[in-house]
C-alpha cells in the first residue's frame, strides 16, 4: 500500500474535536509566546477561543466562572438544565449559571466550601483552586497532603493533596524556584496549557492502535511476532496468496500459529493491482479469489486491505464483497459511519519520524481514536530496514510509546467491534 494523501499528518500535539468558535481569524498576539503551541491548538475549539479583534490576550487573568466553563466544555460534560441557584451571587440570568450548576452537579464545585454562599464568579481564579477543580473534574484520588513544593507550608492543608496530585500527573507545573505560589492568579496562557494537559489526561487509555503487515514476509513471523508476544499485542497479516510459502515468505503453518496467538489474517488482494485501473469484474476476482483461498486453507479472512488507495469515493464493488470489518478499514471505502478524523492509517517506515509517530498516538489518546499502522517487513534489531519496512528497535519503540499511553492494541475486527465510528 502507499500512503494516501489525507493521512499527511498532524504536526501539532493537539487538535481537539470540538465545535470551532465563530472567530476563525488567526490570533494576532501569541506569535513567539512560550505557550503559543497550546494556545493555538485550544483557540480553534470552543474550550477557549480568541476575541473578535483577533487577540487572545495570553497575559490576562482567567476568572473563576471562565475557568469553570472551560473545564466543562473541555471534558464534554453535558450541561445541566434549570435548577435552583447554588450560590447567592450567580443567579439564572448569568451566562455562566448553567456551567456553574453543571460543575456543582458533577461534584467539581462544592457550595458548602464557599464563604457566605458566594462564588465571586468574576474574580481571577487562583492556582490552588484550579488544582482542586481539575483533580475533581478528572476524578483523581488524593492520596496524601504532600505537595512537593518549597512553599507547601503556605498552601492551606485542605488544598495540599490536590496540589500534590497535579504535580505528580504533570497537569500543572511550579515555578523554576521550586515554588507553587498558590494564590497567584492564572493567566489565559497558563490556563491553555492546563486545559490541554487535562484533555490529554482525560483521554488516556481510550484510543486504540492496530499494526498490520502486508505482503506475507517471513520477517514478520521471525522478528515481529516474538516482540508482539512479549507485549501481549496482536497483529494483523494481510497476505497475497501467491506469496505464501515462497522463499522469504510466511507459510500457512506460521500464519496459523499467529492466529492461535490472537493475530488476524486477511486478504491483501490477489495480485496487488491498482483497483482504480480495473474493471468491476476484475476487482471482484481480486477480492473473492484470495478470500476463497484463505478459507480453503483454514485461515481467517477477517478483513481486507486494498493494495492502493482509491482516489475517488465509495467503490461499490469493494464494499459489496466485504463486510463490516472492511467497510471500516481505510476511509476510502467510505461506508458510513466512518469518521475519518477518528481513524488514521499510516505507513510505519523510515518516512514516519518518531515525532509524527508519537503525535499520532497522542491524537488517538485525545480523540479516543484509532490509528492503523502498516508496514511490509521487520528486520532484526541493528539491521537496516528494507524499503517500506522497519527493524525490531523501531517496533519496540512503538510498543513502548503505546504502553506509556495506555492505548489498546487490537486487530481490525476487534477495532471495528469496539468502535465503528
Ligand atoms: Zn501493499
Amino acid at each position: 500500500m502507499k500512503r494516501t494523501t489525507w493521512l499527511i499528518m498532524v504536526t501539532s500535539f493537539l487538535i481537539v474535536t470540538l465545535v470551532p468558535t465563530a472567530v476563525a481569524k488567526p490570533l494576532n498576539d501569541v506569535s513567539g509566546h512560550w505557550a503559543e503551541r497550546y494556545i493555538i491548538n485550544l483557540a480553534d475549539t470552543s474550550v477557549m477561543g480568541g476575541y473578535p479583534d483577533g487577540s487572545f490576550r495570553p497575559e490576562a487573568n482567567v476568572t473563576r466562572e471562565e475557568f469553570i466553563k472551560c473545564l466543562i466544555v473541555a471534558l464534554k460534560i453535558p450541561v445541566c438544565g434549570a435548577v435552583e441557584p447554588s450560590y447567592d451571587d450567580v443567579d439564572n440570568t448569568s451566562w455562566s449559571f448553567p456551567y456553574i450548576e453543571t460543575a456543582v452537579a458533577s461534584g467539581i464545585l462544592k457550595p458548602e466550601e464557599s464563604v457566605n454562599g458566594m462564588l465571586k464568579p468574576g474574580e481571577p481564579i487562583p492556582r490552588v483552586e484550579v488544582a482542586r477543580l481539575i483533580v475533581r473534574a478528572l476524578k483523581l484520588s488524593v492520596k496524601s497532603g504532600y505537595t512537593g513544593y518549597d512553599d507547601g507550608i503556605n498552601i492551606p492543608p485542605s488544598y495540599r493533596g490536590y496540589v500534590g496530585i497535579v504535580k505528580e500527573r504533570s497537569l500543572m507545573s511550579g515555578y523554576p524556584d521550586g515554588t507553587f505560589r498558590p494564590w497567584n492568579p492564572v493567566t489565559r496562557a497558563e490556563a491553555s496549557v492546563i486545559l490541554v494537559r487535562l484533555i490529554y489526561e482525560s483521554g488516556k487509555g481510550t484510543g486504540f492502535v492496530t499494526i498490520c503487515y502486508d505482503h506475507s514476509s517471513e520477517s514478520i513471523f521471525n522478528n515481529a511476532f516474538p516482540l508482539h508476544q512479549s507485549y501481549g499485542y496482536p497483529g494483523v497479516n494481510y497476505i497475497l496468496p501467491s506469496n505464501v510459502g515462497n522463499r522469504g515468505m510466511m507459510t500457512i503453518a506460521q500464519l496459523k500459529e499467529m492466529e492461535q496467538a490472537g493475530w488476524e489474517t486477511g486478504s491483501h488482494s490477489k495480485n496487488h493491482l491498482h483497483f482504480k485501473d480495473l474493471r468491476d469484474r476484475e476487482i471482484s476476482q481480486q477480492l473473492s479469489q484470495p478470500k476463497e483461498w484463505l478459507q480453503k486453507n483454514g485461515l481467517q479472512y477477517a478483513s481486507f486491505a486494498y493494495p492502493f488507495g482509491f482516489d475517488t469515493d465509495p467503490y461499490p464493488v469493494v464494499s459489496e464483497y466485504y463486510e463490516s470489518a472492511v467497510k471500516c478499514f481505510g476511509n476510502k471505502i467510505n461506508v458510513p459511519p466512518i469518521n475519518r478524523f477518528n481513524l488514521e492509517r499510516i505507513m510505519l517506515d523510515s518516512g514516519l519520524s518518531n515525532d509524527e509517530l508519537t503525535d499520532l498516538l497522542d491524537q488517538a489518546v485525545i480523540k479516543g481514536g484509532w490509528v492503523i499502522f502498516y508496514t511490509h517487513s521487520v528486520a532484526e534489531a541493528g539491521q537496516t530496514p528494507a524499503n517500506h519496512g522497519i527493524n525490531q528497535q523501531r517496533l519496540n519503540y512503538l510498543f513502548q510509546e503505546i504502553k506509556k499511553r495506555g492505548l489498546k492494541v487490537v486487530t481490525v475486527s476487534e477495532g471495528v467491534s469496539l468502535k465503528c465510528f
Side-chain angles (χ1 to χ4, degrees), residues 1-2 214-215 268 272 306-307 376:
M1 278 183 271
K2 74 185 171 83
D214 294 356
H215 300 198
H268 194 34
H272 205 263
Y306 47 81
H376 288 184

